[in-house]
Amino acid sequence: MVVVRCCGLLLLAVGVWCSGSEQELNSQRKSDERKKTIIDDSDTPTTNSEFSSSNSRKTSTSDDDVILAHESWQQSLERESASSSGDFRPPDNIVSFTADDAVVRPPPSSSNQEDELESVISGEPEESPAERERRERYEKLAKSIRYPGFVQPYRTDAWHEMLELAESGYPPAEITVAWAKLLGVFTRQNIPEAARIFQKYANEGIPDAQMGLGFLYATGTEKHSSQSKALLLYTFAAFGGSEWGQMALGYRYFAGIGVAASCEKALDYYRRAAASVASEVSFSGGTSVQRVRLQDEQEGGGYSGIQDNDLIEYYQLLAGKGDVQAQVGLGQLHYQGGRGIPRDPHQALHYFLQAAESGNAVAMAFLGKMYLEGNEEVTASNETALKYFKKASALNNPVGQSGLGLMYLFGKGVEKDTKKAYEYFSKAADQSWVDGQLWIGNMYYNGWEVPRDYKMASKYYNLASQSGHVLAFYNLADMHATGTGVLRSCPTAVEFFKNVAERGKWGNLLMEAHHQYKMGLYDEALLKYLLLAELGFEVAQSNAAFILDRKDSEVYDPEEMWKRALVYWSRAAAQGYSNARVRLGDYYYYGWGTSVDYEQAASHYRIASEQQNNPQAMFNLGYMHELGLGMKQDIHLAKRFYDMAADTSADAKVPVYLALTKLAVLFAWKNVEEFKLIIGIDTWETLELYGDIYLMSLLMFLIGYLLVFRRGPPTQANNRQHGGARHHEAAARPGAAARPPTAAPRTAASTRVPATSSSSISSQAATSNSTSPSAAAATQSSTAVSSSSLAAAASPSSASTVNSSALSSSSITPTAASSSVAAASNSAAAAASPSIAAAIKEGGGGEKSSSSEASIKKTGGSGESASSKKED
């Protein structure tokens, strides 16, 4: 049994080996036949149809290195397998190159050797003297033109010269005029004429014309929208050196618009554009870019802090009167440009000189910067720059200190000394001056005078970038792109390079478009915003969407406005603008430019709420939860989102209050519906049938309740009636009638003692006896007796009133309380008869009885009228 198994395994191994050898021989034979067939087919002509059907595509496992074979390859392999094997046959006709076939150019002359060598290498024809003159003239005019189509206002003569040069047929000048006609600068907007010029020179391979034509295809302006053609033209323009083409491609690869998103490709294109911008940045740090969002401006109701012409004129007035701070501020504004003011070295020099004459250190330092760099107004002079920098540095000005450090670092006007340069840069950096921070970072990055330290370099670059220095952003981008001193991060590097590229001279288009929008030139403003939107400016994307949303422009069909606006709202929202995200949700909620999709709208609102804390998004989510649109209806979640919106923004408190009021009514109605289910349908129908009877019964019950329990205030007539009743009750007492009348002697003193009312007796007794229970009992007794005495005094036979001092002098002891009660009783008896009054006098109370009798005589003997006066 074991022998049989061993034999079987041996036979199986032999079979496998034989089959492997046979497959190897077959593959080798097929390879030889394929080589032979390919060599044989090299002599056979190939038809045009075969060429047209053999368009193969390239893709890659690591981007684009894998070749996808076309069906023509399969047909070729089938022909190879069907052909018979044979010996190798060389082609019949062999063409070889000899020395006679080489193109020999004449040797370059010594005068223009370098220029001609470059033309030979590049393959361009030699430039004629007339063409060189036109090129130099165009380059001179281009210095006055900040970007194609925009001319500085104070150099309009350059525009007229540019028109003359364009009419002479010089292509770069014609393309510049085409951009001006497209954007509507210094001429009427003429989009068809601009499209004709772009088409003409794009076919000749001029990058700026290809960029313009690609923009028209991308936006569907005067051309049918075609993203594939736009991408192709952008690529040609970027390879030709167009910064706009490089930015457009970088943004498309970064955002994945029309192409597969690729951070590395975006990094490559943005790096090229950023390098071009960084190379033009001078010691001044570049121009500032003002970003004004039209929607925020509309909601805020103002210019968002942007200086207008009135404010600048006010500063000019102050500067003319000798205000040094106004002179320095205007000098810096014209020196760097920004806030709608173009860069003007002439005005900057004028204001700086005025302020420097007054001894201002900042003006002296900026004058040093102007003479160090040189411009069209002043010639570069290291000696003059050094003089101004030393004066400013002596006044501890950081601008002057950083200027001195730069001169010592590069040896301009002084002997090169990196140690002194480091000292001056450190002093400027300690005062948080951006140039000092930047150059300290450069010294740590390159190891000048200090050991090379990339972490310290990154630290100072970050500090300088917080002040907006373009070169600081560029250096940080390069460090993140290469992983120098920091962990490599492609997205971070792209963000930094994008920031640098957007700070180029074309950034002034934003303020130009904003100015034209305020003037009512909506078509011109829209085209500028659309151009910058293609370059990746988020502010331009939101502003273009805002104009399209309001349908202010007439460039496009009004029926297409919302569809176009939806595209740019989406792009602005993808770059983090929260209001654009909310607006995007509104488009899906109301179905503007798309179909109604509550779930999609809720998703956009949720992103704006959770990631960007937008109060409008929170309010919208609360409303959708309240109505159950796109999500489950939940009143509690709706209230939660309403409260979050009120807590986030004070402006949302009023609408949130109204919404919560409505929500409370809704909640009550829901409870009524649930109560209807509890009591049953039949009972609820009965209540609805006799609801008016139940309501009337309820109203009658409320009216009766008010009538029964409502009391009016007491009147004087009621008080008099109650007083008369007390009088008759006191007169009917048997004790008072049984005592014999006794006349009381009158004294002079008794006539001057005033009578005391019963209310004063009660108040004094309550005041003196409030600290003891016995005193409280005495107070009650004295109050009752005083009421009796008042009633007795109302009769004609009564001659005196109760003495209040007898009650007020009572002590808090029980004995004193009893004495006061007895005194009050004696007073009441004295008021009833003369004999009782005489008896009270012997006990010490006669004087007061006499005074009471005297008071009765003053009233004319009428006890009833005296009682009425006391009550009044």
Side-chain angles (χ1 to χ4, degrees):
M1 196 66 183
V2 176
V3 175
V4 172
R5 288 183 179 177
C6 292
C7 293
L9 291 174
L10 181 61
L11 291 175
L12 180 61
V14 171
V16 171
W17 178 79
C18 293
S19 62
S21 300
E22 184 179 359
Q23 290 178 0
E24 185 178 358
L25 291 174
N26 290 336
S27 62
Q28 182 67 26
R29 184 170 60 254
K30 288 182 180 180
S31 177
D32 295 339
E33 290 176 356
R34 187 181 300 111
K35 289 179 181 179
K36 177 182 176 183
T37 306
I38 292 175
I39 294 174
D40 291 341
D41 289 343
S42 62
D43 295 335
T44 59
T46 307
T47 61
N48 292 331
S49 60
E50 290 177 349
F51 273 112
S52 61
S53 63
S54 62
N55 296 325
S56 59
R57 293 184 179 179
K58 251 180 146 184
T59 183
S60 76
T61 46
S62 69
D63 279 0
D64 25 39
D65 292 339
V66 174
I67 300 176
L68 296 178
H70 198 267
E71 59 182 2
S72 59
W73 287 77
Q74 185 66 26
Q75 296 173 1
S76 177
L77 291 177
E78 291 177 357
R79 287 199 307 269
E80 291 175 8
S81 61
S83 63
S84 61
S85 61
D87 297 333
F88 169 72
R89 290 186 300 109
D92 297 334
N93 298 325
I94 298 177
V95 179
S96 60
F97 289 94
T98 62
D100 297 333
D101 297 325
V103 178
V104 180
R105 299 179 63 89
S109 60
S110 58
S111 59
N112 298 326
Q113 184 175 359
E114 295 181 358
D115 296 339
E116 293 184 1
L117 183 60
E118 291 180 359
S119 64
V120 170
I121 295 174
S122 61
E124 297 178 356
E126 185 179 356
E127 189 179 31
S128 63
E131 292 177 349
R132 176 172 296 181
E133 180 183 358
R134 290 197 299 178
R135 177 178 61 80
E136 291 176 353
R137 182 184 177 190
Y138 173 77
E139 291 175 352
K140 181 180 178 181
L141 293 174
K143 292 182 179 179
S144 299
I145 300 176
R146 301 195 58 78
Y147 49 83
F150 176 75
V151 180
Q152 294 182 1
Y154 57 89
R155 295 297 300 273
T156 54
D157 55 337
W159 171 248
H160 297 294
E161 293 185 24
M162 186 67 72
L163 286 176
E164 295 177 359
L165 189 60
E167 291 174 357
S168 67
Y170 188 60
E174 285 192 66
I175 295 173
T176 301
V177 173
W179 279 110
K181 291 182 178 180
L182 176 66
L183 303 177
V185 179
F186 281 92
T187 183
R188 291 183 60 86
Q189 193 175 37
N190 191 346
I191 299 177
E193 179 64 17
R196 184 191 64 81
I197 298 175
F198 287 149
Q199 184 70 57
K200 173 184 175 182
Y201 288 106
N203 295 334
E204 297 182 8
I206 299 180
D208 288 338
Q210 292 170 339
M211 174 64 202
L213 188 60
F215 167 71
L216 296 181
Y217 275 113
T219 57
T221 307
E222 203 63 28
K223 300 284 185 181
H224 292 293
S225 178
S226 176
Q227 299 301 318
S228 59
K229 290 183 179 180
L231 183 64
L232 180 64
L233 290 168
Y234 285 161
T235 305
F236 288 155
F239 287 163
S242 172
E243 292 90 350
W244 286 2
Q246 293 165 356
M247 290 181 65
L249 274 183
Y251 171 67
R252 284 180 173 256
Y253 277 108
F254 187 58
I257 300 175
V259 293
S262 176
C263 182
E264 296 297 333
K265 290 184 178 180
L267 177 63
D268 182 32
Y269 287 114
Y270 268 126
R271 190 203 298 266
R272 299 180 188 182
S276 175
V277 173
S279 63
E280 297 178 358
V281 175
S282 60
F283 184 58
S284 61
T287 60
S288 58
V289 179
Q290 302 300 320
R291 307 171 187 267
V292 182
R293 294 186 176 90
L294 296 179
Q295 183 168 354
D296 294 347
E297 184 181 25
Q298 183 191 32
E299 294 176 357
Y303 255 13
S304 303
I306 304 302
Q307 291 187 6
D308 52 8
N309 294 330
D310 295 336
L311 185 58
I312 294 176
E313 290 177 359
Y314 174 71
Y315 276 108
Q316 289 174 350
L317 178 64
L318 292 179
K321 292 182 178 180
D323 192 314
V324 178
Q325 297 300 326
Q327 293 170 352
V328 173
L330 287 175
Q332 291 178 334
L333 183 62
H334 288 290
Y335 177 66
Q336 296 180 345
R339 297 189 178 273
I341 301 298
R343 187 171 179 270
D344 189 353
H346 176 74
Q347 291 290 333
L349 180 64
H350 170 69
Y351 287 116
F352 283 146
L353 286 174
Q354 287 183 346
E357 291 176 358
S358 302
N360 187 271
V362 178
M364 296 177 185
F366 275 93
L367 282 174
K369 293 175 71 173
M370 293 185 70
Y371 279 101
L372 179 64
E373 298 172 349
N375 50 45
E376 54 266 29
E377 285 297 324
V378 297
T379 305
S381 173
N382 292 332
E383 290 77 12
T384 308
L386 182 63
K387 178 185 69 174
Y388 281 116
F389 280 146
K390 284 185 176 180
K391 289 182 179 180
S393 179
L395 297 174
N396 198 28
N397 182 264
V399 185
Q401 291 169 348
S402 62
L404 277 179
L406 196 64
M407 298 192 76
Y408 277 108
L409 181 64
F410 294 102
K412 293 186 175 183
V414 293
E415 185 179 355
K416 186 176 181 180
D417 191 343
T418 56
K419 184 177 181 180
K420 286 187 177 181
Y422 180 79
E423 291 177 357
Y424 282 115
F425 287 145
S426 299
K427 291 180 181 179
D430 291 340
Q431 300 186 54
S432 301
W433 178 240
V434 58
D435 288 334
Q437 294 168 345
L438 174 69
W439 285 104
I440 281 287
N442 288 337
M443 296 189 76
Y444 276 109
Y445 186 86
N446 297 292
W448 297 334
E449 189 59 32
V450 292
R452 180 170 295 180
D453 191 341
Y454 294 124
K455 291 185 178 180
M456 291 295 295
S458 176
K459 170 189 172 183
Y460 282 104
Y461 287 154
N462 278 305
L463 291 174
S465 66
Q466 293 175 5
S467 301
H469 203 292
V470 179
L471 294 180
F473 283 115
Y474 182 80
N475 293 336
L476 282 174
D478 187 67
M479 293 181 71
H480 282 88
T482 58
T484 304
V486 294
L487 186 64
R488 187 181 187 276
S489 175
C490 178
T492 305
V494 171
E495 290 288 348
F496 280 125
F497 278 133
K498 183 175 182 292
N499 196 338
V500 175
E502 291 178 356
R503 292 173 179 267
K505 53 190 177 183
W506 43 82
N508 292 322
L509 272 170
L510 283 173
M511 287 306 302
E512 180 72 16
H514 181 264
H515 178 67
Q516 289 180 335
Y517 180 80
K518 289 299 180 182
M519 294 176 60
L521 302 175
Y522 300 127
D523 295 344
E524 291 81 355
L526 177 60
L527 264 295
K528 288 182 176 64
Y529 282 136
L530 288 177
L531 174 61
L532 294 176
E534 284 295 309
L535 304 185
F537 284 77
E538 176 268 315
V539 176
Q541 291 169 351
S542 62
N543 289 349
F546 179 82
I547 297 176
L548 292 170
D549 179 73
R550 295 167 60 91
K551 297 184 179 181
D552 292 331
S553 176
E554 298 179 357
V555 177
Y556 304 107
D557 186 5
E559 298 296 330
E560 300 177 356
M561 290 291 193
W562 280 342
K563 294 181 180 179
R564 293 176 178 271
L566 181 63
V567 173
Y568 291 103
W569 283 128
S570 302
R571 295 182 182 181
Q575 296 199 61
Y577 183 37
S578 63
N579 288 342
R581 180 70 67 180
V582 173
R583 200 64 182 153
L584 196 60
D586 293 342
Y587 270 62
Y588 283 104
Y589 183 88
Y590 295 105
W592 295 337
T594 182
S595 59
V596 176
D597 191 344
Y598 293 130
E599 294 182 359
Q600 189 73 13
S603 67
H604 288 296
Y605 291 146
R606 186 173 289 107
I607 292 173
S609 172
E610 295 177 355
Q611 299 181 4
Q612 298 154 351
N613 292 327
N614 189 286
Q616 183 64 50
M618 297 174 185
F619 186 89
N620 294 348
L621 282 175
Y623 184 77
M624 295 183 74
H625 272 296
E626 177 183 343
L627 300 181
L629 300 176
M631 57 187 64
K632 183 180 178 181
Q633 186 176 13
D634 193 333
I635 295 179
H636 301 285
L637 279 177
K639 184 180 184 303
R640 176 185 175 188
F641 279 109
Y642 285 146
D643 292 337
M644 289 172 60
D647 293 339
T648 305
S649 174
D651 297 335
K653 292 186 179 295
V654 174
V656 165
Y657 175 77
L658 297 176
L660 288 177
T661 304
K662 176 189 173 184
L663 195 65
V665 174
L666 200 67
F667 185 74
W669 179 253
K670 185 177 179 180
N671 290 336
V672 170
E673 294 290 337
E674 293 178 355
F675 178 72
K676 184 192 302 185
L677 296 177
I678 293 174
I679 65 176
I681 299 177
D682 297 336
T683 308
W684 182 258
E685 291 178 354
T686 305
L687 291 176
E688 290 180 346
L689 182 61
Y690 301 102
D692 52 350
I693 299 176
Y694 297 143
L695 182 60
M696 292 177 60
S697 302
L698 180 62
L699 291 176
M700 293 181 64
F701 174 76
L702 292 176
I703 294 173
Y705 178 83
L706 293 176
L707 291 176
V708 171
F709 294 96
R710 180 180 176 86
R711 289 185 178 182
T715 60
Q716 292 183 1
N718 295 333
N719 293 336
R720 288 173 182 174
Q721 293 177 1
H722 292 296
R726 289 195 299 268
H727 165 69
H728 291 297
E729 181 181 357
R733 288 182 181 177
R739 292 192 177 97
T742 305
R746 298 177 183 176
T747 60
S750 64
T751 59
R752 293 193 296 267
V753 177
T756 306
S757 64
S758 62
S759 61
S760 63
I761 296 172
S762 302
S763 62
Q764 291 177 6
T767 303
S768 60
N769 300 321
S770 60
T771 58
S772 170
S774 302
T779 303
Q780 294 179 0
S781 302
S782 62
T783 303
V785 174
S786 62
S787 300
S788 303
S789 63
L790 182 61
S795 61
S797 61
S798 301
S800 63
T801 58
V802 180
N803 188 10
S804 62
S805 61
L807 298 179
S808 60
S809 61
S810 59
S811 175
I812 60 173
T813 60
T815 307
S818 301
S819 302
S820 63
V821 172
S825 301
N826 294 334
S827 299
S833 64
S835 60
I836 298 175
I840 294 174
K841 181 179 179 182
E842 294 177 358
E847 184 177 356
K848 293 180 177 52
S849 300
S850 301
S851 64
S852 299
E853 184 180 357
S855 64
I856 292 176
K857 282 187 176 183
K858 287 184 180 181
T859 60
S862 176
E864 185 178 358
S865 61
S867 175
S868 300
K869 289 184 179 181
K870 290 180 182 180
E871 289 181 0
D872 291 338

